[in-house]
Amino acid sequence: MGDIGQTEGYPSAGRIPGHVAIIMDGNGRWASQRGLPRTEGHNAGAESVRAIVRTARRIGVKFLTLFAFSDQNWDRPNQEVGALMELLYRYVLGEYDEILQNNIRLTAAGNLDRLPGVVQQALQELIRRSRKNEQMTLCLALSYGGHADLVAGARRVAEDVQSGRLLLADINAEAFESRLLTAELPPVDLLIRTSGEQRLSDFLPWHLAYAELVFASVMWPEFREPQFYEAIETYQARERRYGKTSEQLPSENPRGAQLRAVK
Ligand code: IPE
Ligand code: IPE
Ligand code: MG
């Protein structure tokens, strides 16, 4: 990886993305490459989740959204879906203390009703107990699909117009956004996908509208602190113009300034 130049080895002096979203991909391939069953890849991937949550919190990320299970993943073989649900259950129970002690607020987005009852209960309990925590919000995208998210938003808009709570003239981006399943999430600053795949797979279509996309070639179980720093360094070297020209941007924010500042 590149030299981030910090004595502690992390990019604290740069512009830290407020909302990082990660498509954690490649667990199955990681396992196959080692002659292991796919579920071993998911187990190893859970270790990466722990490492990245810890690091994100430490460097000051305020929102971390992890794509843990998609709407489409329900179509995998029953045995793999079952193993993933069991892993999720163990993760929630196993991280209970760490999340509470580290002042992390847990949330979840997706069609949670499809999750097994015990998983829903454990998840809701930790969501409830951590709801006042302020250091970082960890959002697990579970049974999540972007189209379903947008359709749910459209349905709520229609219901509110029908019942008179919302005027047709008042439908705008904010009104729509506030009715999404993911209403509480801010726009994504940095989207990371591991395993070399370069697609979004129906993840956060609304919030990714202006995200910086970083694709890492390593499989998710190999994505740890150094790879995370490297992704953030890549992000820091990007110039986010939002439709404007370079010259229009504040002078303290020219291309790569933050990166040079920490080198
Ligand atoms: C990501 O790894 C984890 C989930 C989608 C649940 P994969 O299981 O998709 O791994 P690959 O892409 O088959 O290697
Ligand atoms: C996306 O990964 C979903 C998660 C990481 C949970 P997939 O591996 O399911 O995506 P596709 O099917 O390759 O696009
Ligand atoms: Mg995959």
Side-chain angles (χ1 to χ4, degrees):
M1 64 173 287
D3 175 20
I4 293 169
Q6 287 295 293
T7 43
E8 290 102 341
Y10 63 87
S12 61
R15 179 177 45 137
I16 297 296
H19 185 184
V20 177
I22 306 182
I23 302 175
M24 309 183 291
D25 199 11
N27 292 351
R29 276 163 286 166
W30 180 90
S32 306
Q33 286 161 3
R34 286 160 180 76
L36 298 168
R38 291 177 58 84
T39 49
E40 283 306 315
H42 298 312
N43 290 337
E47 288 306 313
S48 292
V49 171
R50 286 188 189 96
I52 298 309
V53 168
R54 212 168 280 159
T55 304
R57 176 194 170 279
R58 189 154 51 81
I59 66 177
V61 170
K62 296 312 285 181
F63 279 83
L64 176 65
T65 302
L66 301 178
F67 203 4
F69 194 85
S70 74
D71 253 356
Q72 292 80 4
N73 289 150
W74 289 113
D75 294 333
R76 291 192 180 190
N78 286 340
Q79 188 265 342
E80 181 165 342
V81 171
L84 281 165
M85 291 301 135
E86 214 179 292
L87 180 62
L88 176 60
Y89 182 61
R90 275 191 278 125
Y91 174 79
V92 173
L93 294 186
E95 294 308 285
Y96 221 87
D97 292 340
E98 166 120 3
I99 284 180
L100 293 177
Q101 280 160 16
N102 285 293
N103 201 14
I104 294 171
R105 185 171 74 102
L106 182 73
T107 65
N111 185 1
L112 305 181
D113 291 345
R114 278 189 85 176
L115 301 174
V118 283
V119 176
Q120 286 185 44
Q121 279 160 22
L123 197 61
Q124 293 301 349
E125 171 74 4
L126 188 49
I127 289 173
R128 192 183 60 74
R129 288 196 54 195
S130 67
R131 70 188 186 284
K132 298 219 171 89
N133 291 352
E134 290 177 333
Q135 182 71 34
M136 181 178 86
T137 296
L138 169 62
C139 176
L140 298 180
L142 290 169
S143 188
Y144 177 83
H147 279 184
D149 194 359
L150 297 179
V151 168
R155 181 176 292 116
R156 283 186 199 152
V157 167
E159 281 167 0
D160 287 350
V161 169
Q162 200 172 37
S163 68
R165 277 194 299 271
L166 179 68
L167 294 175
L168 202 54
D170 290 338
I171 298 176
N172 53 26
E174 288 75 32
F176 181 65
E177 186 177 275
S178 70
R179 288 165 173 83
L180 294 171
L181 297 176
T182 43
E184 65 152 335
L185 296 178
V188 173
D189 297 299
L190 168 61
L191 179 276
I192 300 169
R193 184 173 190 147
T194 56
S195 86
E197 305 295 356
Q198 302 194 359
R199 57 176 171 266
L200 299 178
S201 302
D202 204 23
F203 188 42
L204 299 179
W206 181 270
H207 295 84
L208 288 177
Y210 245 112
E212 294 297 330
L213 311 183
V214 172
F215 299 102
S217 56
V218 294
M219 303 297 157
W220 175 248
E222 293 170 321
F223 191 86
R224 300 288 164 96
E225 209 168 274
Q227 291 77 21
F228 190 35
Y229 293 157
E230 193 175 353
I232 289 180
E233 190 186 36
T234 302
Y235 167 84
Q236 290 176 339
R238 301 264 177 93
E239 182 180 67
R240 304 185 76 190
R241 290 191 288 277
Y242 294 100
K244 296 182 179 173
T245 68
S246 250
E247 292 69 30
Q248 287 177 292
L249 300 177
S251 55
E252 69 272 18
N253 187 31
R255 181 195 293 276
Q258 289 81 6
L259 186 62
R260 281 196 299 276
V262 298
K263 284 237 176 199

